Amino acid sequence: MLSSTAMTDQDPFSPQILALLDRAAAFCATRASRLTDTRRLVLGLILDSSKPVGAYDILDHLRQYQRNAAPPTVYRALDFLLAQGLIHRIERMSAFIGCAHRLECHHGHGCGHRAQFLICSGCGAVSEVEDSEISHAIASAAKKIGFKPHQSTVEIEGLCAICQQG
Amino acid sequence: MLSSTAMTDQDPFSPQILALLDRAAAFCATRASRLTDTRRLVLGLILDSSKPVGAYDILDHLRQYQRNAAPPTVYRALDFLLAQGLIHRIERMSAFIGCAHRLECHHGHGCGHRAQFLICSGCGAVSEVEDSEISHAIASAAKKIGFKPHQSTVEIEGLCAICQQG
DNA sequence: TCGCCTTTAGTTATATTATAACGACTGAGA
DNA sequence: TCTCAGTCGTTATAATATAACTAAAGGCGA
Ligand SMILES: [Zn+2]
Ligand SMILES: [Zn+2]
Ligand SMILES: [Zn+2]
Ligand SMILES: [Zn+2]
């Protein structure tokens, strides 16, 4: 959720988020892409949430800082962040989540990673994993039928460890 | 695509589709669920397409036979068909496709199968596979982190064998 | 500094996908 | 017959996403 602490019109984010945003800016710099104010703000709002957030939720929050933000404002920022691999779209939820790996990745440019998502239907939390068995199984299944995979969506819905206890 | 042959207001489907619809009706009978006229028509329209079809595409076609069909008409039928496992929803496309396995399944009631989908970005065709390596890898990855999976979405986008040649 | 070009953003309108809510009808069984 | 659950008709609206056009900003060479 959005932290109400340390939230001003000038600088809405916690030091932790600010650090991530700095890394994102540095990452963009290496790719000659521009993390503009709006894009940075949208990324911050996404990173600041413990759950995936919808485009219109982002828009509502964004309007606290940019009075005239409109749907295209948000969708353009999301398109950019998706293209940079800084966020992911969760298809089953039509919502967006920060990439748990991108800002830690040291593999160099264009390191597109194969992520999978575990969606808890109890608490709504989504965890991102990179499981090579799944990736390999997918690549292998595709190869079997002569299909050349480019990108894959793996979203597993169920109950997280915590919600299984409740 | 919808076949224009053998298409009348009374009986819009080819013998091949009619046979599948009969099996679907028989399947529903075993589950004490009712494949009503509208549901049957919607299923037929989906089965008659070589690609996933959107709800509003279905609605357009449905209106040829039911003048007053409206969005809820289609979505109610889709909800039913999804619940029976007779169709699947392709999340990345917000579209629906007939289940390639349900009508051939002899495993008895509630045989929820673990399907994966290969989506060709060249021709739009979607093939459904049941790959146990993928299913096992997913189950195993979930178990690793104490997550109890209930259902999973696997959608692989890329180029089919045919489109790789073009 | 200037002009030129590309990228980004503002703005309005609209498209696309999906659901809420309520009343009427139907058919099975008490 | 009465009642109940399930289904459907109908209207309205919610939620998600994009088109199209204009304006501003930023990079870059002359
Ligand atoms: Zn990621
Ligand atoms: Zn949970
Ligand atoms: Zn299937
Ligand atoms: Zn193809």
Side-chain angles (χ1 to χ4, degrees):
Chain A
M1 67 213 62
L2 294 174
S3 58
S4 52
T5 59
M7 180 92 86
T8 77
D9 280 6
Q10 305 304 329
D11 186 358
F13 300 119
S14 69
Q16 182 185 355
I17 301 296
L18 288 174
L20 286 174
L21 291 175
D22 285 346
R23 302 185 71 162
F27 172 76
C28 288
T30 68
R31 309 182 51 161
S33 67
R34 294 164 54 200
L35 188 67
T36 61
D37 286 350
T38 301
R39 292 166 175 175
R40 184 174 177 280
L41 200 39
V42 169
L43 178 57
L45 291 169
I46 293 170
L47 292 174
D48 209 10
S49 169
S50 61
K51 300 175 188 175
V53 281
Y56 283 76
D57 287 336
I58 294 170
L59 180 56
D60 286 343
H61 290 300
L62 186 60
R63 281 187 164 139
Q64 298 178 0
Y65 311 103
Q66 295 185 201
R67 197 76 161 296
N68 53 6
T73 312
V74 171
Y75 281 100
R76 284 167 182 157
L78 291 172
D79 285 347
F80 172 85
L81 297 169
L82 286 167
Q84 304 302 312
L86 290 166
I87 63 173
H88 294 287
R89 180 189 159 95
I90 307 298
E91 299 292 339
R92 292 172 70 100
M93 307 178 71
S94 295
F96 303 86
I97 189 175
C99 174
H101 303 118
R102 172 59 77 204
L103 295 176
E104 284 76 28
C105 176
H106 299 296
H107 299 162
H109 281 199
C111 165
H113 71 133
R114 311 289 180 187
Q116 300 90 35
F117 301 93
L118 298 132
I119 306 170
C120 179
S121 45
C123 63
V126 173
S127 16
E128 177 177 353
V129 299
E130 270 188 295
D131 186 277
S132 61
E133 274 187 53
I134 296 176
S135 302
H136 289 149
I138 286 175
S140 155
K143 193 170 187 179
K144 260 184 230 165
I145 64 168
F147 189 95
K148 186 172 181 180
H150 174 58
Q151 193 178 59
S152 63
T153 296
V154 178
E155 296 176 7
I156 307 161
E157 178 264 325
L159 281 183
C160 74
I162 294 169
C163 288
Q164 284 173 60
Q165 300 168 354
Chain B
M1 64 213 65
L2 296 174
S3 58
S4 51
T5 59
M7 180 90 89
T8 78
D9 280 7
Q10 305 303 329
D11 185 358
F13 301 119
S14 70
Q16 182 185 353
I17 300 295
L18 288 174
L20 286 173
L21 291 175
D22 285 346
R23 302 184 72 162
F27 173 76
C28 288
T30 69
R31 308 183 51 160
S33 68
R34 295 164 53 199
L35 188 67
T36 61
D37 285 352
T38 301
R39 292 166 175 174
R40 183 174 178 281
L41 200 40
V42 169
L43 177 57
L45 290 169
I46 293 170
L47 292 174
D48 209 10
S49 169
S50 61
K51 301 175 187 175
V53 280
Y56 282 77
D57 287 336
I58 294 169
L59 180 56
D60 286 344
H61 290 300
L62 186 60
R63 280 188 165 140
Q64 298 179 359
Y65 311 104
Q66 295 186 201
R67 195 81 159 295
N68 53 6
T73 312
V74 171
Y75 281 101
R76 283 167 182 157
L78 292 172
D79 286 347
F80 172 84
L81 297 169
L82 286 168
Q84 303 302 314
L86 290 166
I87 63 172
H88 295 286
R89 179 188 159 93
I90 306 298
E91 300 292 339
R92 292 171 69 102
M93 306 178 73
S94 295
F96 303 86
I97 189 175
C99 173
H101 303 117
R102 171 59 77 202
L103 296 177
E104 284 77 27
C105 176
H106 300 296
H107 300 163
H109 281 198
C111 164
H113 71 132
R114 313 287 180 187
Q116 299 90 34
F117 301 93
L118 298 133
I119 305 171
C120 179
S121 46
C123 62
V126 173
S127 18
E128 177 177 355
V129 299
E130 271 188 295
D131 186 277
S132 61
E133 275 187 52
I134 295 176
S135 303
H136 289 148
I138 286 174
S140 155
K143 192 169 188 179
K144 261 185 228 166
I145 64 167
F147 189 95
K148 186 173 179 180
H150 174 58
Q151 194 179 57
S152 63
T153 297
V154 178
E155 295 176 6
I156 307 161
E157 178 265 322
L159 280 185
C160 76
I162 295 169
C163 288
Q164 284 174 60
Q165 300 168 354

